[in-house]
């Protein structure tokens, strides 16, 4: 990695960039500065077409404007976060900002200025790197270091709304009067400027609204979720094909294999991949992925591709490493499969959100009583939640731009709400018998099984977006055999 000069902040971009400490060049001569300032071709793009979701983002902004008339709304994309010293984590725009704009650049801010009949909406962005003061080649965030930024005119063409210089925003917000709402947690600088203009209550109402607005997906979003699921299915196939190499190394080989598919076909993984082999499968969010992969064990793979528009899949399969379930593994797997079948059948418009969870938990409770692991009757088990020792988690969650989407929604709009066409959720029952659980027979200990699919509520029922991956035990074994033949 090349050694750069000291990165500049947006406020410093108009100033001369200072050499970094311990840099090999003490400064820039006047002659070099003059040389670098000229002789560059005009690369402005003037024939750009709007991004695919531009009409949808416009409709979302219009709905938001109608919900908060007369109020200034500020939605930042966020800033780069330092990983160590002068290196940053890969940037991921805030969900609220990306949902309303389709833009994914750092330091951006979407602003709704109240007018007599609604809002004037503008997006504030960093313009192209400055070539007059040398920022484009001297700054760590300059064009020759990290790549070309869009010009403001280009951004307007792509996003379908006025684009302005974000470096002018701080002063405008400082002078702003009247009620202001902001999405917090992404841009400390913006929050500092707005300190005496916002209230926690108003800001929370904005966050809740934007969370609930994402519950019902439009056609663009549904297509992106299907794309994410299709790529995820291919990623699972990739993993099955290299299980022999994972056995020779560790769970990291599985993680890396799936990540390759995510980066080639999407933006990233939507969350840290859970590549849990053997007893690690009983840890719900096992993301260390540093354990052995052994023949005879089960591999619980919970992973999802995030598309370039930031919609993610969330799929889990529990696979026999050697391609064949043992008798006990299959018994436990079949119980989880039956529970998932019952849960998926309960997903339909007009149903209570909780119905799929209750249906799945009932099946699992019945099996646990049948196996003698907990004393019945089943109604008692469910009333007291005794099955939770081995089922642990809820049976699903909303899915979209966040893997746990709509998380800030009110209970009455989410877990206590009613399913509508266009909602997308996971159905993911599981059974987890910890390696140190002395209440179950020894053979059960260290076995964890989860099956998870992404289910879209339709007008007449539901559609399994991740149906390309087999779920039934015999089908899983046949699928694995075909991929490794």
């Amino acid at each position: 990695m090349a050694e750069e000069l000291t990165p500049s902040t947006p406020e410093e971009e108009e100033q001369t960039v200072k050499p970094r400490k311990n840099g090999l060049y003490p400064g820039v001569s006047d002659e070099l500065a003059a040389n670098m300032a000229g002789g560059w071709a005009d690369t402005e793009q003037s024939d750009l077409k709007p991004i695919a979701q531009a009409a949808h983002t416009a409709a979302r902004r219009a709905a938001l404007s109608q919900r908060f008339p007369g109020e200034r709304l500020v939605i930042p994309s966020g800033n780069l976060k330092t990983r160590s010293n002068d290196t940053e984590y890969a940037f991921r725009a805030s969900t609220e900002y990306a949902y309303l704009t389709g833009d994914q650049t750092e330091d951006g801010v979407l602003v709704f200025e109240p007018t007599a009949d609604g809002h004037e909406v503008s997006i504030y962005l960093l313009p192209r790197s400055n070539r007059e003061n040398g920022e484009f080649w001297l700054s760590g965030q300059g064009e020759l270091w990290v790549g070309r930024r869009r010009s403001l005119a280009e951004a307007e063409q792509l996003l379908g709304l006025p684009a302005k210089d974000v470096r002018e925003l701080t002063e405008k917000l400082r002078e702003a009067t009247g009620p202001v709402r902001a999405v917090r947690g992404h841009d400390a600088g913006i929050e500092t400027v707005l300190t005496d203009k916002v209230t926690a209550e108003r800001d929370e109402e904005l966050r809740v609204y934007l969370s609930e607005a994402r519950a019902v997906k439009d056609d663009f979003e549904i297509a992106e979720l299907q794309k994410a699921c299709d790529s995820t299915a291919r990623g699972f196939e990739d993993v099955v094909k290299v299980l022999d190499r994972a056995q020779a190394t560790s769970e990291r080989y599985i993680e890396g294999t799936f990540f390759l598919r995510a980066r080639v076909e999407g933006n990233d993984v939507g969350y840290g991949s859970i590549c849990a082999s053997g007893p690690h499968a009983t840890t719900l969010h096992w993301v260390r992925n540093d354990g052995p992969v052994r023949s005879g064990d089960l591999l619980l793979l919970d992973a999802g591709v995030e598309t370039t528009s930031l919609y993610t899949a969330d799929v889990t399969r529990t696979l026999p490493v050697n391609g064949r379930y043992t008798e006990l593994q299959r018994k436990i797997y079949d119980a989880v499969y039956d529970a998932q079948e019952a849960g998926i059948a309960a997903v339909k418009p007009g149903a209570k959100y909780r119905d799929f969870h209750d249906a799945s938990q009932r099946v699992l409770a019945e099996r646990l009583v049948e196996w003698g692991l907990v004393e019945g009757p089943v109604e008692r088990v469910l009333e007291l939640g005794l099955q939770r020792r081995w089922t642990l988690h809820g049976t699903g969650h909303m899915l979209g731009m966040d893997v746990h989407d709509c998380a800030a929604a009110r209970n009455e709009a989410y877990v206590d709400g009613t399913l509508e066409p266009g909602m997308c959720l996971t159905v993911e029952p599981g059974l987890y018998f910890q390696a140190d659980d002395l209440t179950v027979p020894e053979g059960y200990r260290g076995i964890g099984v989860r099956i998870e699919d992404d289910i879209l509520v339709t007008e007449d029922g539901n559609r399994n977006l991740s149906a390309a991956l087999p779920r039934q035990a015999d089908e899983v074994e046949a699928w694995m055999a075909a991929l490794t033949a």
Side-chain angles (χ1 to χ4, degrees):
M1 182 176 182
E3 184 183 47
E4 62 198 53
L5 297 185
T6 303
S8 60
T9 64
E11 292 78 12
E12 295 171 336
E13 285 185 351
E14 294 299 330
Q15 304 173 12
T16 302
V17 181
K18 299 178 181 179
R20 69 182 297 151
K21 185 176 182 180
N22 293 317
L24 294 177
Y25 290 108
V28 177
S29 68
D30 292 341
E31 290 78 6
L32 177 57
N35 178 277
M36 291 297 291
W40 305 99
D42 181 6
T43 60
E44 182 74 11
Q45 301 176 26
S46 58
D47 57 351
L48 298 175
K49 296 181 180 180
I51 57 176
Q53 66 268 45
H56 296 289
T57 55
R60 298 166 194 167
R61 294 192 297 271
L64 177 59
S65 173
Q66 188 173 14
R67 171 62 179 81
F68 297 104
E71 301 186 57
R72 181 174 284 100
L73 310 176
V74 182
I75 301 100
S77 71
N79 314 124
L80 291 173
K81 291 181 173 61
T82 300
R83 181 178 184 273
S84 177
N85 188 27
D86 59 352
T87 60
E88 293 86 22
Y89 288 104
F91 180 74
R92 203 278 196 183
S94 73
T95 293
E96 296 86 354
Y97 175 88
Y99 176 74
L100 292 167
T101 66
D103 181 59
Q104 297 181 37
T105 56
E106 65 268 20
D107 301 322
V109 185
L110 182 68
V111 178
F112 287 64
E113 295 283 352
T115 63
D117 56 354
H119 288 88
E120 178 185 299
V121 185
S122 301
I123 189 167
Y124 287 81
L125 302 166
L126 281 174
R128 290 280 306 279
S129 296
N130 191 313
R131 296 201 174 225
E132 294 181 1
N133 70 356
E135 181 263 340
F136 79 107
W137 71 284
L138 291 172
S139 168
Q141 295 302 316
E143 185 170 308
L144 299 193
W145 285 96
V146 297
R148 181 186 187 277
R149 292 194 292 263
R150 297 170 184 157
S151 71
L152 298 181
E154 291 169 345
E156 290 186 350
Q157 296 176 66
L158 291 167
L159 305 177
L161 72 166
K164 301 178 181 180
D165 191 334
V166 72
R167 295 170 298 187
E168 301 171 358
L169 180 59
T170 298
E171 190 59 33
K172 289 184 178 181
L173 292 179
R174 187 175 286 117
E175 296 174 353
T177 59
V180 180
R181 297 178 190 262
V183 174
R184 301 190 184 195
H186 302 295
D187 193 319
I190 293 295
E191 291 180 33
T192 298
V193 174
L194 296 176
T195 297
D196 60 347
K197 305 177 189 298
V198 297
T199 67
E201 293 76 15
R202 285 203 303 263
D203 290 354
E204 181 63 12
E205 287 177 357
L206 173 60
R207 189 171 79 105
V208 168
Y209 169 83
L210 289 173
S211 195
E212 294 180 5
R214 299 198 305 276
V216 176
K217 272 59 179 179
D218 58 40
D219 292 344
F220 174 84
E221 294 177 291
I222 293 170
E224 287 298 293
L225 286 167
Q226 184 64 71
K227 185 188 301 181
C229 287
D230 292 344
S231 290
T232 298
R234 288 188 284 273
F236 275 63
E237 292 176 353
D238 295 339
V239 167
V240 171
K241 292 175 182 177
V242 300
L243 282 177
D244 57 336
R245 300 181 191 179
Q247 291 180 68
T249 51
S250 74
E251 295 161 340
R252 292 281 169 90
Y253 204 97
I254 295 166
E255 178 183 354
T257 299
F258 186 84
F259 179 70
L260 177 61
R261 178 66 64 173
R263 285 294 281 166
V264 168
E265 295 192 1
N267 176 61
D268 205 332
V269 290
Y271 53 96
S273 298
I274 300 167
C275 308
S277 183
H280 290 163
T282 66
T283 300
L284 299 185
H285 286 172
W286 177 261
V287 293
R288 299 179 197 172
N289 300 338
D290 59 359
V293 179
R294 299 189 177 101
S295 178
D297 283 346
L298 295 177
L299 166 67
L300 189 156
L301 177 59
D302 184 336
V305 172
E306 178 186 75
T307 67
T308 54
S309 61
L310 306 184
Y311 288 84
T312 186
D314 182 7
V315 179
T316 306
R317 291 294 183 267
T318 305
L319 311 172
V321 173
N322 64 10
R324 302 286 293 182
Y325 296 100
T326 67
E327 183 178 353
L328 179 57
Q329 288 170 351
R330 180 183 283 260
K331 182 177 83 166
I332 296 170
Y333 185 93
D334 286 347
V336 175
Y337 172 80
D338 290 344
Q340 194 199 27
E341 283 283 275
I344 292 174
V347 175
K348 53 190 174 183
K352 294 297 183 182
Y353 177 86
R354 293 179 179 272
D355 288 352
F356 77 95
H357 169 72
D358 293 341
S360 290
Q361 291 294 302
R362 175 170 292 277
V363 171
L364 295 177
E366 289 171 350
R367 298 303 171 85
L368 291 167
V369 171
E370 177 187 324
W371 298 340
L373 301 183
V374 63
E375 182 181 351
V378 170
E379 293 298 338
R380 167 183 172 271
V381 173
L382 292 170
E383 181 181 354
L384 299 177
L386 301 180
Q387 83 284 359
R388 293 179 61 186
R389 180 182 179 100
W390 303 285
T391 66
L392 294 176
H393 56 80
T395 310
H397 51 81
M398 291 290 193
L399 183 70
M401 296 186 83
D402 287 330
V403 65
H404 296 149
D405 208 27
C406 311
R410 296 165 299 161
N411 283 356
E412 57 266 33
Y414 193 156
V415 295
D416 295 330
T418 301
L419 295 180
E420 302 176 37
M423 289 182 171
C424 187
L425 58 141
T426 67
V427 179
E428 51 174 313
L431 283 173
Y432 311 92
F433 300 101
Q434 304 301 319
D436 59 351
D437 188 349
L438 301 181
T439 70
V440 300
E442 186 175 357
Y444 286 72
R445 298 172 196 167
I447 294 179
V449 174
R450 179 163 67 250
I451 312 171
E452 177 180 20
D453 285 270
D454 301 343
I455 310 299
L456 174 71
V457 183
T458 61
E459 294 289 344
D460 57 357
N462 68 66
R463 186 170 95 231
N464 186 346
L465 301 180
S466 47
L469 286 171
R471 294 183 295 123
Q472 198 274 336
D474 287 339
E475 293 174 350
V476 169
E477 291 180 343
W479 170 71
M480 294 182 68
L483 289 171
T484 56

